[in-house]
Amino acid sequence: MQTTEKVVDTAVSATTETGGAIMDSLGGFFNSIQEGVGQYGLKIVGGIVALIIGLWIVKMIMKAIKKAFDKSNVDHTLKPFLVTLVNFLLKVLLFISIAGIVGIPTATFAALLAAVGLAIGGAFNGSLGHMAAGVMLLVFRPFKVGDLIETGGKLGFVKEISVFVTILETFQNKTEIIPNGSITSGTITNLTTIGNLRVDMPFGIQYGTDIEKAKQIVLEVMKNDSKVMNDPAPRVAVNNLGANGVELLALPYSTCDDYWDVYWDTRQKIVEALGNANYAAPLPQRIVTMKS
């Protein structure tokens, strides 16, 4: 019986010691949490408050910068790019400052930022290519906002040149969003550089009719058209001798905005004027010789 009591006492004593050790460990753990919250809690709260205030300040600064750009003579092509760049730089500086407030070493944060940048760069390799192409477009400036260009089979007026894409507005009021890399890797046709466009409009008359009179009729139509420019002056020329008739070519000049009006409306006026002067269309003809 005495032996059994000693064993029981020993077990109870061991259990008590184990429970005490566990309680001491839990107490140390909660004390560590309490110390950590006391040490970093205020920094985290201060960082959050500083972040909110900083974002508000950045927003106010960007509004002021946009107003300054609107009042200045900064080219419209550069405005979106500069606004995006300044906004990005301000936010990067803000986050670095917040990291310092929270207690993250600046060197460590910079290394982390560089690593994240490399990872993002690898993931968005194509996007970075479009960004580099956007910088090239802004530096070499093959076109600017408001120009009429043709690229990648798309024809339209340039509405915006951003870091990654260029936005065109077509004559059908469609908005074409084209990646900058696709533009710089292909052919760019700027139709606005000179300031006017020649509208080539072929038409035909039958063989044996008065070519000079037909040219005068067409030339008179173009001179009386308000949307056809007088300088450069329009002209009419013989373009080809076809199988069924003489092909003439009307060559009026117009502004970029009036291009399609001249292309459609002036062409109709030419057809009507030739019809009123009894010029028939050169229909296919065949001469058949019969031998007995």
Side-chain angles (χ1 to χ4, degrees):
M1 291 293 294
Q2 291 180 352
T3 303
T4 304
E5 291 177 356
K6 287 182 180 180
V7 171
V8 172
D9 291 339
T10 302
V12 171
S13 177
T15 303
T16 304
E17 291 177 358
T18 303
I22 293 174
M23 292 302 294
D24 291 340
S25 299
L26 289 174
F29 175 72
F30 286 117
N31 288 333
S32 300
I33 293 177
Q34 186 175 3
E35 291 176 359
V37 171
Q39 182 178 359
Y40 296 104
L42 293 177
K43 292 184 178 180
I44 294 174
V45 172
I48 294 173
V49 173
L51 178 63
I52 295 172
I53 296 174
L55 290 175
W56 180 79
I57 293 174
V58 169
K59 184 178 180 181
M60 294 297 103
I61 292 174
M62 292 309 302
K63 283 185 178 180
I65 290 175
K66 289 178 182 179
K67 288 182 180 179
F69 281 164
D70 292 337
K71 293 180 181 179
S72 65
N73 295 324
V74 178
D75 185 44
H76 292 286
T77 305
L78 291 173
K79 285 181 182 179
F81 178 77
L82 292 177
V83 168
T84 303
L85 181 62
V86 172
N87 187 33
F88 175 76
L89 292 176
L90 288 176
K91 288 183 178 179
V92 169
L93 292 175
L94 174 63
F95 283 114
I96 292 176
S97 302
I98 298 301
I101 294 174
V102 174
I104 301 175
T106 306
T108 304
F109 185 79
L112 179 62
L113 190 63
V116 172
L118 289 175
I120 294 175
F124 294 96
N125 186 29
S127 298
L128 292 178
H130 295 316
M131 180 178 178
V135 173
M136 290 178 59
L137 292 176
L138 292 171
V139 172
F140 295 103
R141 302 189 64 183
F143 54 83
K144 61 182 184 298
V145 173
D147 284 358
L148 177 64
I149 68 168
E150 182 177 3
T151 179
K154 306 297 183 181
L155 176 67
F157 292 96
V158 180
K159 303 302 293 182
E160 182 181 339
I161 305 173
S162 65
V163 179
F164 296 103
V165 298
T166 295
I167 301 176
L168 301 184
E169 184 179 284
T170 69
F171 286 96
Q172 295 83 21
N173 287 334
K174 297 178 181 178
T175 299
E176 299 284 353
I177 302 174
I178 306 174
N180 289 329
S182 302
I183 296 176
T184 55
S185 63
T187 302
I188 304 172
T189 304
N190 192 330
L191 305 174
T192 310
T193 302
I194 298 177
N196 57 67
L197 297 174
R198 194 181 75 185
V199 189
D200 295 1
M201 296 185 294
F203 62 96
I205 59 175
Q206 294 180 354
Y207 282 114
T209 53
D210 192 337
I211 296 176
E212 193 61 35
K213 181 180 178 182
K215 291 172 65 176
Q216 290 298 324
I217 292 172
V218 175
L219 191 61
E220 194 67 24
V221 170
M222 292 189 292
K223 288 182 177 179
N224 292 330
D225 194 323
S226 61
K227 294 189 176 180
V228 174
M229 300 177 64
N230 295 322
D231 185 22
R235 64 168 299 188
V236 184
V238 176
N239 188 49
N240 187 30
L241 301 177
N244 304 309
V246 179
E247 182 182 296
L248 302 179
L249 189 64
L251 303 171
Y253 289 84
S254 73
T255 63
C256 296
D257 293 332
D258 294 336
Y259 178 86
W260 290 111
D261 291 334
V262 173
Y263 185 86
W264 289 316
D265 299 340
T266 306
R267 183 190 294 266
Q268 178 180 342
K269 294 176 183 177
I270 290 173
V271 172
E272 292 173 349
L274 290 173
N276 293 333
N278 297 321
Y279 278 89
L283 300 175
Q285 300 179 13
R286 295 291 182 270
I287 298 176
V288 179
T289 301
M290 301 181 65
K291 293 184 178 181
S292 59

